[in-house]
Amino acid sequence: MKGRILGRISLRAYSTDLKPVVSSTLLISRTPIISEELTAFESQYYKYNNELWKRLMWTFPKWYYYKDGTISEQMFKELNPAPVFNNPNVDFPNGRPEIRQGRDRRFKQELKLPKTYSTEVERADETAAESSDNLSRKIVPNSRITKADETKDLTSLERKLARTLYLVISLDGNKWSLPNFEMSREEKVPLHKLAETGFQSIGGETVNYYNVSNTPCHLHHSENKKEYFIKSHILAGKFAPVDNSTKFMWLAKEELQEYLEGAYYEDVKHLFNDV
Amino acid sequence: MLSSSIKSAVLPVLRTFVRFKSKADVSPSTQRVIGQMSALSASKKQPKVIRLSNEDLIKHKSIVNAWNLYRRRKVSRQRDQLNKQYQSIVDAMEDLKQSEPELYVWANTKQTNKKFPLQLRVPTDYPPSQPWVYNVKK
């Protein structure tokens, strides 16, 4: 196996006799901030399993959590009225109820618990800070779709929170590529250092990043040039190009296919995350 | 004579009545344990066993099989991608070894003082109020 790989590499011929330029390509990614989007099949399967689980669940031991005669028991009773009892004088065409511990054991038990917050309209004079200090307030999660998604802002780091985004830049605003930095023939520096200094020089000064390794993760041969790929994650901060003519975007895998050159994308696509 | 025989017949039946309901003989701690056990045990709390018809059973099995197939394909796709990525690293390093021995040594040294960044976030179901931190102190 090893011999075959070595043979393939050493057989490669470049268009000129000059040794190919060594360069370092930075594969900087923004890791997902929220969990993966479920496919239709996944969400249906989870729903099915969840319903089965609820159907097979034991009856809620009400007497243990709500002592008889307390106010909380009263509130619980009001929210959860008793099921129709097995009246011997009534005919039940769809099967007779089997009531055990206040639950019809033929079906899942659906419980409603008393809320800690009032369901009425909030006080008009209550400020936002006051209401956020209120520990018993209703918890409303933030939307998974951000403003950047709505405005289709491709340069924002807040777009597609569920996906891994990769930085692509364009010097002329026409041809897009991953940030690539060439090594000078005189002075040699480690590949990951080359990528780091190069990234800082084009506008990564205000970025907190984490280089995964000093080992390159891929080699791409192009016309008299060798591109070694260095993986990195952006942790905080914003990429702000030094040169105003430099354009940049944060793109997910499928979008990269549109902007990168076809053969180049085919060679490097396995480096990008599907999620 | 008669009255005494009546007396003897009636007396054992007579009971002393107490004003309030008598408490159970168990201590409060034992009572608590009984309560906890009743919450944990299955007695009278189990739902009815699901009896699936043949058709429903086939439906259920199809769903589970479809899920297993889906998982298997997903896992194998991920494994293939990982293998490709590993092969990429091997290729790149072998090439470096041949063409740039100096860079190979640099790329192959272990980074011992490197620490995993605490700022890297674990994905949650919903985003934080400020999804991204923009100010970086250098």
Side-chain angles (χ1 to χ4, degrees):
Chain A
M1 190 73 183
K2 221 175 219 179
R4 192 181 63 78
I5 297 155
L6 280 180
R8 196 183 65 193
I9 292 163
S10 56
L11 274 175
R12 178 173 286 274
Y14 289 92
S15 53
T16 53
D17 291 336
L18 254 177
K19 221 178 163 190
V21 179
V22 173
S23 71
S24 179
T25 299
L26 189 67
L27 198 67
I28 189 161
S29 62
R30 194 225 55 195
T31 49
I33 289 172
I34 53 174
S35 53
E36 190 182 352
E37 293 290 349
L38 296 182
T39 60
F41 177 62
E42 275 171 337
S43 49
Q44 280 169 0
Y45 181 77
Y46 289 145
K47 184 164 185 257
Y48 173 73
N49 257 2
N50 211 23
E51 288 298 309
L52 263 185
W53 175 67
K54 277 184 190 162
R55 165 67 178 78
L56 294 172
M57 218 155 56
W58 286 1
T59 306
F60 175 69
K62 189 196 97 181
W63 63 91
Y64 182 67
Y65 293 97
Y66 299 100
K67 293 277 177 263
D68 279 351
T70 55
I71 292 176
S72 55
E73 194 229 355
Q74 194 60 36
M75 284 164 76
F76 181 82
K77 261 189 185 168
E78 279 168 17
L79 284 171
N80 303 282
V84 177
F85 78 106
N86 188 7
N87 189 341
N89 303 325
V90 174
D91 187 32
F92 291 96
N94 296 328
R96 302 200 78 82
E98 289 184 38
I99 311 293
R100 301 280 183 282
Q101 313 279 21
R103 173 210 181 169
D104 193 343
R105 65 193 281 268
R106 297 173 303 159
F107 310 117
K108 69 173 178 183
Q109 189 183 20
E110 281 191 277
L111 286 178
K112 284 186 195 127
L113 296 181
K115 299 271 186 290
T116 55
Y117 49 89
S118 65
T119 44
E120 294 145 34
V121 185
E122 296 291 317
R123 259 170 41 229
D125 56 333
E126 194 177 41
T127 60
E130 241 181 90
S131 63
S132 71
D133 281 345
N134 185 7
L135 286 179
S136 62
R137 71 186 187 277
K138 188 181 181 182
I139 294 169
V140 185
N142 294 323
S143 168
R144 284 172 66 97
I145 295 163
T146 57
K147 210 176 272 176
D149 285 323
E150 281 160 9
T151 56
K152 296 196 172 68
D153 181 8
L154 295 177
T155 60
S156 172
L157 278 160
E158 289 177 19
R159 65 186 297 265
K160 287 197 187 255
L161 294 179
R163 298 293 312 274
T164 312
L165 301 180
Y166 296 92
L167 177 70
V168 287
I169 57 166
S170 169
L171 299 174
D172 53 1
N174 209 358
K175 192 174 170 289
W176 292 89
S177 65
L178 299 164
N180 177 260
F181 313 101
E182 288 182 7
M183 179 114 53
S184 69
R185 288 188 189 276
E186 296 79 41
E187 196 192 356
K188 292 236 166 96
V189 285
L191 289 167
H192 67 288
K193 288 275 178 230
L194 177 67
E196 278 178 44
T197 49
F199 181 57
Q200 281 169 3
S201 70
I202 61 165
E205 278 292 343
T206 51
V207 168
N208 185 4
Y209 60 89
Y210 171 69
N211 254 1
V212 177
S213 170
N214 50 358
T215 309
C217 63
H218 185 63
L219 167 62
H220 175 74
H221 296 275
S222 56
E223 193 70 21
N224 211 25
K225 191 176 177 184
K226 278 179 175 178
E227 282 186 35
Y228 292 94
F229 284 69
I230 297 289
K231 264 191 184 177
S232 185
H233 297 308
I234 179 168
L235 306 172
K238 194 177 182 181
F239 177 75
V242 174
D243 189 0
N244 277 337
S245 62
T246 309
K247 299 272 185 297
F248 72 97
M249 291 193 288
W250 290 96
L251 300 178
K253 188 176 183 176
E254 320 77 67
E255 294 163 331
L256 283 170
Q257 193 172 9
E258 290 171 31
Y259 287 96
L260 295 182
E261 204 185 306
Y264 183 80
Y265 176 79
E266 283 301 313
D267 187 46
V268 299
K269 70 176 177 187
H270 63 281
L271 301 174
F272 303 124
N273 199 345
D274 287 325
V275 178
Chain B
M1 190 68 183
L2 191 76
S3 64
S4 68
S5 69
I6 289 170
K7 224 177 190 179
S8 63
V10 170
L11 264 180
V13 181
L14 281 176
R15 288 199 186 126
T16 50
F17 290 96
V18 286
R19 201 179 175 107
F20 299 103
K21 196 177 158 188
S22 67
K23 295 270 191 306
D25 292 347
V26 291
S27 65
S29 58
T30 316
Q31 189 61 52
R32 197 162 57 240
V33 171
I34 291 169
Q36 285 170 358
M37 291 302 286
S38 77
L40 290 171
S41 74
S43 136
K44 290 186 180 176
K45 293 208 295 293
Q46 280 184 337
K48 203 175 177 182
V49 174
I50 302 180
R51 296 200 190 282
L52 293 179
S53 64
N54 259 350
E55 195 186 331
D56 286 345
L57 205 62
I58 290 167
K59 268 187 200 168
H60 176 76
K61 281 180 180 170
S62 312
I63 291 169
V64 174
N65 283 346
W67 177 254
N68 288 343
L69 191 66
Y70 174 79
R71 287 293 307 164
R72 208 179 303 141
R73 281 182 184 158
K74 195 173 175 180
V75 167
S76 79
R77 209 163 49 234
Q78 284 170 344
R79 201 181 43 225
D80 287 352
Q81 194 180 5
L82 275 181
N83 283 340
K84 272 184 193 166
Q85 288 180 358
Y86 178 72
Q87 203 51 52
S88 268
I89 299 172
V90 173
D91 286 354
M93 287 303 271
E94 289 292 348
D95 182 274
L96 262 189
K97 201 178 190 174
Q98 296 296 312
S99 56
E100 308 280 345
E102 202 179 3
L103 293 185
Y104 172 77
V105 171
W106 281 329
N108 211 16
T109 46
K110 199 168 182 178
Q111 292 171 303
T112 46
N113 56 352
K114 197 167 167 183
K115 291 192 176 65
F116 190 79
L118 294 177
Q119 295 96 324
L120 207 58
R121 227 176 147 273
V122 176
T124 47
D125 277 353
Y126 295 98
S129 299
Q130 288 164 342
W132 193 253
V133 180
Y134 286 102
N135 58 333
V136 176
K137 281 174 190 167
K138 287 275 177 184

